[in-house]
Amino acid sequence: MANLKFYFTPGSCSTGIHILLEEVEVTFEAYLINLIKGDQYKPEYLAINPRGTIPSLVTTDGNALTDFVAIALWIAKEYPRSSLLGDNEEQRVAIMEMLDFATRKVHGEGFTRIFTTDKYTADKVEAEKVREQGVEMVTKDFDWIEKTMRENNWHQWKFNIADAALFYIEFWAEQVDIQLPLLCQSHYHKMLKRPTVRQVLMEEGYHSVISRHESVAV
């Protein structure tokens, strides 16, 4: 049987999927997609993912999954012993809501304005306004995440698929100097101490992130 094939870009949203694959201890082949060089637009990649996005996961039966939520759900359901969807229906609902909010809202609406302002405007002056809007949106979104974490006692739950999505947006927030609320900070620091997260960051070339937080207590 063929291995899973994982297409990723270090430090991107695909880092979350990378973490999930390591969590379930599955064997997979990893293929680096260099977005700066335009690898996502090469014919051989578009044949796998016509949208030209990352991450992509080709399953052992040859099906290509090209959306973070779809891939995360597939992993959780394919490897149920890892309990990546929570322990009960109430948790599953909250996990799915958090996963959707992190990927669709925080990433899809906020961080896109920060990282890809050119998709919103070609004007340099207007671009700065778009970026500022993105920072404001992401900051407010983390306030919602903080509130939801507190209401659900999120810190008491086992690692789940939403944690992987939360980690990559928290990681991005640090890269652009967006201050995380206290519970989000605690979650981020806790994730940085998780063996699979440390392994993935090391493999993706982010040794400095681990070193910077070595002294942080959870």
Side-chain angles (χ1 to χ4, degrees), residues 10 20 38 42 48-49 53 55 63 69 101 104 111-112 117 131 133-134 149 153 160 168 181 188 193 195 204 214:
L20 291 176
K42 291 182 178 180
I48 296 167
N49 182 348
T53 58
N63 289 328
V69 173
F101 190 82
R104 314 289 187 196
F111 275 113
T112 56
T117 55
R131 186 183 185 284
Q133 181 186 37
M149 282 182 166
N153 293 315
N160 59 71
Y168 86 73
Y188 182 51
K193 291 184 179 296
E204 294 194 2
E214 283 294 345

Side-chain angles (χ1 to χ4, degrees), residues 90-108:
E90 183 179 357
Q91 285 190 6
R92 291 186 184 93
V93 171
I95 287 168
M96 290 307 302
E97 182 179 31
M98 186 72 85
L99 177 65
D100 180 76
F101 190 82
T103 57
R104 314 289 187 196
K105 183 73 167 62
V106 189
H107 176 176

Side-chain angles (χ1 to χ4, degrees), residues 13-122:
C13 59
S14 62
T15 297
I17 297 300
H18 195 170
I19 291 169
L20 291 176
L21 289 171
E22 296 295 350
E23 284 284 339
V24 298
E25 300 181 330
V26 63
T27 300
F28 62 93
E29 299 172 10
Y31 297 89
L32 177 65
I33 301 298
N34 190 318
L35 299 181
I36 296 177
K37 290 184 177 180
D39 288 355
Q40 70 274 30
Y41 301 123
K42 291 182 178 180
E44 56 267 33
Y45 185 66
L46 290 176
I48 296 167
N49 182 348
R51 297 190 301 161
T53 58
I54 50 94
S56 293
L57 183 73
V58 178
T59 63
T60 54
D61 58 8
N63 289 328
L65 304 175
T66 61
D67 172 78
F68 188 102
V69 173
I71 296 172
L73 279 173
W74 184 88
I75 293 172
K77 292 179 178 180
E78 192 73 9
Y79 304 95
R81 286 186 298 178
S82 297
S83 300
L84 294 173
L85 285 174
D87 293 326
N88 52 58
E89 189 60 26
E90 183 179 357
Q91 285 190 6
R92 291 186 184 93
V93 171
I95 287 168
M96 290 307 302
E97 182 179 31
M98 186 72 85
L99 177 65
D100 180 76
F101 190 82
T103 57
R104 314 289 187 196
K105 183 73 167 62
V106 189
H107 176 176
E109 298 180 18
F111 275 113
T112 56
R113 284 173 166 80
I114 297 173
F115 293 139
T116 56
T117 55
D118 58 301
K119 291 184 177 181
Y120 293 87
T121 179

Side-chain angles (χ1 to χ4, degrees), residues 122-138:
D123 183 82
K124 290 184 178 181
V125 175
E126 190 64 27
E128 184 55 34
K129 293 180 181 179
V130 170
R131 186 183 185 284
E132 290 175 356
Q133 181 186 37
V135 170
E136 182 179 348
M137 292 171 68
V138 169

